Amino acid sequence: KEEGGQTAMDVFLLDPGKANGFPTVLEDLIEAPEDHALTCVAFNPKGNLLAAGTQKGSLLIFDFETRGLERNCGCLHPDQAVTSVSFTGDGNRVLTATGFAHESRAPNAVLYDLAEAKIAVEVVLPSPPTFARVHPNGAEFLACFHQGPPVIYSISSAPSSRQVQASVCLPKDKEGSSHPPAWPVTANYLGDGDRVALGNASGEVEIVRNDFAFSVAMRRTAPIADSGAIKAIVENQARTLIALNIAGRSQQGFVRILQLVGGEGEGDRDAECASNVVGDFHDPACFAKGSSLGWVAFSWDNGHLLATSGAESKHHLSVWNLETQKLSCVLESSGLQPVWHAAWRPNRAALVTVNADGNCSVFGKKEKENWSCFAPGFRELEKNEEYVEQEDEFDASPAEQRTPAPPHSRDLVNILT
């Protein structure tokens, strides 16, 4: 034993299931069942199940370890493509929503219970949502629309709805004249769902608390210069950064990273927080004016940012290092198919994208084998080295340790009888 009561084997070993860094190679392809082209995906909190919506309104659950179909939950939105899918915090329920209108069917959102294998709640929506996400506790969900402010729908025993009240949803007066609201307004839950971040078509951002009065947690920011609408808002795992997917006007689209400082992070739940700009990340494959990047996601270790490219190169996926703010790599989807959706696997350096052909590409990191980590003190060789073996090296008792026996000390063997 060494000092501190530890043995030589008490060394830190990286979990082989938690790869460091970011995906670098295309590992596998998840093929959708016949007549079930996939449209969007989401991982459960453990990362072992992958929920996928289809073009015909079905919900499929895949076992990500085996890449096999675990369950077909049936058609939840007949003849309507699923555009949003999300898990509750315990991973027992999945929310799906459709972003397309149908002549004979109203758009709806469905909460499916995986344990009981049935629909738990179905809510009819006034118009097709641009984005929907269930609250981590499963008691409500947030929906965004092309017109009007985001709405929070309660799906508990007494269903109800309430519009998110924030200044970014209201018309902005300028020199006494009234201007129409900057629709559409996108929103997303932050943290444990106790706050809601909102962004409008003028490039303004605001954070409100998810309480009855929607009290302000971060005041409305100034419009981002030369920017269009904020397409999406994503939070990292450490809950310290948010990514704004911003469409360009006279320039290409980009992603702006904001660092949240103060407020609840300082221990005061009633204090307002502020934001600092970490940096802007531009699409390296699409330079068209007015373009926007596709889906945005943070890596599980908060060290990298992923974004799918714009309209001209939708099969490109860019990965940036947040510390250096430099491009780490550019991945390409299987068969150079345009990417519709992307999701980062929790606690892994693995990424899943939904391609235009309705299948999923799985990206992972090729790990270097390092067997010596299981044998402390073992030295690996970069190349072969010549070694001269001693004649008695592997003898039970080497020659230098042997003591010669005195003459006639051994018993004589009778060889005659």
Side-chain angles (χ1 to χ4, degrees):
K1 293 212 172 193
E2 299 175 352
E3 294 183 4
Q6 293 185 343
T7 64
M9 290 301 294
D10 291 331
V11 295
F12 174 75
L13 299 179
L14 291 176
D15 185 350
K18 294 185 178 181
N20 294 310
F22 54 90
T24 55
V25 295
L26 179 63
E27 279 188 348
D28 201 358
L29 185 68
I30 300 179
E31 296 185 1
E34 188 176 357
D35 297 331
H36 285 84
L38 307 183
T39 55
C40 55
V41 292
F43 281 101
N44 68 335
K46 292 182 179 180
N48 61 325
L49 295 180
L50 180 70
T54 70
Q55 290 186 5
K56 293 188 176 181
S58 299
L59 172 64
L60 306 178
I61 305 297
F62 291 90
D63 185 335
F64 194 72
E65 299 295 341
T66 63
R67 309 290 198 265
L69 180 63
E70 184 75 14
R71 180 185 301 176
N72 185 344
C73 301
C75 187
L76 308 182
H77 311 271
D79 300 323
Q80 296 173 301
V82 178
T83 54
S84 298
V85 58
S86 58
F87 275 91
T88 55
D90 57 9
N92 293 331
R93 293 185 172 188
V94 182
L95 178 80
T96 61
T98 174
F100 297 96
H102 193 273
E103 296 179 356
S104 59
R105 296 182 181 88
N108 64 338
V110 174
L111 187 67
Y112 187 87
D113 193 311
L114 295 177
E116 299 183 5
K118 67 176 184 179
I119 295 177
V121 179
E122 182 176 358
V123 178
V124 178
L125 303 177
S127 61
T130 58
F131 173 78
R133 181 188 170 190
V134 67
H135 192 281
N137 64 13
E140 64 183 31
F141 71 90
L142 174 69
C144 305
F145 303 94
H146 291 281
Q147 298 287 334
V151 179
I152 293 178
Y153 292 87
S154 173
I155 47 182
S156 57
S157 57
S160 61
S161 63
R162 53 197 177 106
Q163 291 185 346
V164 179
Q165 303 296 325
S167 62
V168 294
C169 303
L170 302 176
K172 186 176 182 180
D173 294 334
K174 184 177 181 181
E175 298 179 357
S177 61
S178 178
H179 294 264
W183 307 134
V185 174
T186 187
N188 201 352
Y189 287 118
L190 298 183
D192 294 323
D194 55 345
R195 294 179 298 168
V196 179
L198 304 97
N200 61 18
S202 299
E204 299 169 316
V205 184
E206 185 178 8
I207 300 177
V208 297
R209 294 181 179 87
N210 188 9
D211 51 25
F212 182 78
F214 292 109
S215 56
V216 176
M218 187 187 80
R219 294 187 179 275
R220 181 178 187 168
T221 62
I224 300 174
D226 198 24
S227 69
I230 297 177
K231 298 292 186 179
I233 302 176
V234 182
E235 185 182 32
N236 69 340
Q237 298 293 329
R239 303 177 180 179
T240 56
L241 303 176
I242 59 174
L244 309 177
N245 187 3
I246 305 170
R249 286 185 177 172
S250 60
Q251 63 175 352
Q252 63 179 144
F254 60 97
V255 177
R256 169 164 290 186
I257 304 298
L258 298 181
Q259 182 182 22
L260 303 181
V261 294
E264 296 183 13
E266 302 294 334
D268 187 357
R269 296 185 60 86
D270 296 327
E272 295 183 9
C273 66
S275 63
N276 297 326
V277 177
V278 175
D280 295 338
F281 300 83
H282 295 80
D283 190 348
C286 179
F287 302 96
K289 295 181 180 180
S291 64
S292 63
L293 287 92
W295 293 94
V296 177
F298 284 100
S299 64
W300 71 274
D301 59 357
N302 307 301
H304 297 85
L305 173 72
L306 162 84
T308 60
S309 290
E312 295 180 354
S313 304
K314 284 189 175 180
H315 59 279
H316 283 168
L317 298 97
S318 304
V319 180
W320 291 276
N321 186 306
L322 291 177
E323 183 177 357
T324 63
Q325 298 189 17
K326 293 183 178 180
L327 185 68
S328 297
C329 73
V330 176
L331 307 174
E332 292 185 347
S333 64
S334 174
L336 301 182
Q337 291 283 336
V339 176
W340 284 355
H341 197 268
W344 204 298
R345 187 185 185 189
N347 302 320
R348 302 289 190 274
L351 175 71
V352 174
T353 63
V354 179
N355 307 326
D357 59 1
N359 296 321
C360 285
S361 297
V362 180
F363 294 89
K365 182 181 179 183
K366 188 176 181 180
E367 296 292 339
K368 181 181 178 181
E369 293 184 355
N370 184 16
W371 296 99
S372 63
C373 66
F374 297 99
F378 185 86
R379 182 175 66 92
E380 288 189 348
L381 301 177
E382 295 294 334
K383 60 181 180 179
N384 293 339
E385 296 181 4
E386 184 178 357
Y387 179 75
V388 179
E389 179 184 330
Q390 301 295 326
E391 183 178 356
D392 58 349
E393 183 174 355
F394 297 100
D395 292 351
S397 178
E400 60 271 11
Q401 298 179 4
R402 249 182 248 139
T403 57
H408 308 295
S409 64
R410 292 178 295 180
D411 296 335
L412 299 177
V413 179
N414 188 352
I415 61 173
L416 298 178
T417 60

